[in-house]
Amino acid sequence: MFLSVFELFKIGIGPSSSHTIGPMVAGSRFLDEILNGDWPRPASDGVTHISVSLHGSLAFTGKGHATDRAILLGLAGKSPSSVTRSEADAAIAAIHKEKKISPNGHPAYDFSPDSDLVFDYETILPGHTNGMIFFAYAADGRMLLKRVYYSIGGGFIASEEELAKQQDASAPQNVPFPFENADQMLQMANQSGLSIGSMKRENEIADMSANALSDGLMDIWDVMESSIVQGFDAEGELPGGLKVKRRAGKIHEKLLDDWRSNKPNPLLANDWLQAFAMAVNEENASGGRVVTAPTNGAAGVIPATLSYYLKFFPDAEKSSIEEFLLTASAIGGIIKHNASISGAEVGCQGEIGSASAMAAAGLAAIMGGTPAQVENAAEIALEHHLGMTCDPIGGLVQIPCIERNGMGAIKAVSAASLAMKGDGTHFVSLDACIKTMGETGRDMNARYKETSLGGLAVNVVEC
Ligand code: SF4
């Protein structure tokens, strides 16, 4: 189950990893299938027309999560890690105007967004609640190619076959520390004398150079930090119709004023953590560039926690960023492997809860925690998110998501602090907590799993 740090932390655009980045990647992948895939190609004619249907949670909250834009961008050949907002707007406007998609290296395909992108609220595909079907047709209307993809959380995409393989995956791993759960991770740390972050580093450099790993981690941090700066600089209303105002910039200004005038603030830690996290998630909600950590909806927790460390810990060093991110990704990989990081699968406990556990582990590690203390920190943070539902109002990643990131960061710092007061022994293991999260998510009514059919989404009147 080895999952690279760069699979969990992916640079992309908002507002959702499962509903924006995943569908965008799926669109690009379908284009690749058309050109290079193994399917019977008629000699006389080729693909002239494409259509797509969205199912389950992608249909229910796809409009609020910009899945429609994401599909168009993916089919236009754009990448979530590099497309700019103006390029995206121009590409989407062109498709709506011309009713054609013209990706590089392909002929122009007929695609009318109004009729060729279908939100199917009736049919849930069998593999996962976030299902998509892509169709390619010949000029006479014959269907030439059909592909089903699932967006399985955190921007990951799986075909039907890949999903089946993942579900019974027990493949041996070609890495020096192949831990699949927290118990194995602690045993290996004990035997090797290495920290969790160091074991994760060894696993990563089994497949890349140490320099490439360091450069990649700093790129991830640069984008996280930029998303905070951009969030502080921006103002006005977020898109989508809820008229939610950006608040992070004003809160930041107030905190800076208090700082400059030496005004005591007994809530300083909470306020800064909330401001950092909200800045990232306001950027995410506006379609800006963020890092999945482990998802877009939960993208603010880890940058907020790490920023708080860098700004307020007297001995903080930038060299700790790598250890933080590697440790956090080790915990995220275990959670994804044994439960889920997807709100559509297990509710918000899988998104904000996982992010908080990852952040708590990363912080405990750079505070000098032992592997047992790090595991304890992750467990405390996750335990106190158990049962949290996903019920975004209007299907937008705004309420409760933006503030919830700040709460996740505050819990992460508290969890790390609490764990560091002990010696790592504790009652509930991280593995037991992850198992509980997975089971709770499976038992959770589908209304509370990113469909906006229950919870706040139905009890708050949209203005
Ligand atoms: S409620 Fe949580 S899981 Fe649902 S969209 Fe918001 S952040 Fe993601």
Side-chain angles (χ1 to χ4, degrees), residues 15-16 18 65 281 295-299 341-344 347-352 388-393 395-402 404-405 448-450:
S16 167
S18 57
H65 285 50
N281 284 82
T295 64
N296 277 42
I341 56 167
S342 162
C348 198
Q349 54 174 352
E351 295 209 9
I352 299 287
M388 188 184 276
T389 59
C390 168
D391 53 357
I393 296 178
L396 296 162
V397 194
Q398 298 180 9
I399 304 172
C401 320
I402 294 171
R404 189 168 283 179
N405 275 264
Y448 303 107
K449 295 194 273 192
E450 213 163 353

Side-chain angles (χ1 to χ4, degrees), residues 3 10 44 50 63 66 106 132 147 175 177 257 268 276 293 325 333 356 369 387 397 400 403:
L3 199 57
K10 290 194 284 291
S44 56
I50 289 175
K63 288 198 172 120
H106 290 252
M132 294 161 272
R147 287 286 182 266
V175 291
F177 298 100
D257 284 348
L268 181 134
F276 287 137
L325 293 176
S356 189
V397 194
E403 288 177 3

Side-chain angles (χ1 to χ4, degrees), residues 426-460:
H426 56 109
F427 205 85
V428 180
S429 71
L430 178 57
D431 285 332
C433 193
I434 292 170
K435 183 168 186 278
T436 304
M437 183 181 83
E439 289 175 359
T440 306
R442 272 195 297 282
D443 291 344
M444 198 180 276
N445 189 296
R447 289 203 302 274
Y448 303 107
K449 295 194 273 192
E450 213 163 353
T451 57
S452 289
L453 296 174
L456 290 175
V458 298
N459 287 317
V460 176

Side-chain angles (χ1 to χ4, degrees), residues 139-195:
D140 61 5
R142 275 174 302 124
M143 188 176 67
L144 300 177
L145 178 63
K146 172 185 171 187
R147 287 286 182 266
V148 174
Y149 300 116
Y150 295 104
S151 181
I152 57 175
F156 292 89
I157 285 293
S159 66
E160 284 177 305
E161 302 74 33
E162 288 162 349
L163 196 69
K165 267 192 217 148
Q166 283 182 11
Q167 280 164 354
D168 52 64
S170 53
Q173 301 155 61
N174 209 9
V175 291
F177 298 100
F179 49 83
E180 297 195 355
N181 56 44
D183 189 40
Q184 291 174 5
M185 178 181 77
L186 289 179
Q187 281 177 29
M188 289 180 198
N190 201 18
Q191 283 158 7
S192 65
L194 294 176
S195 70

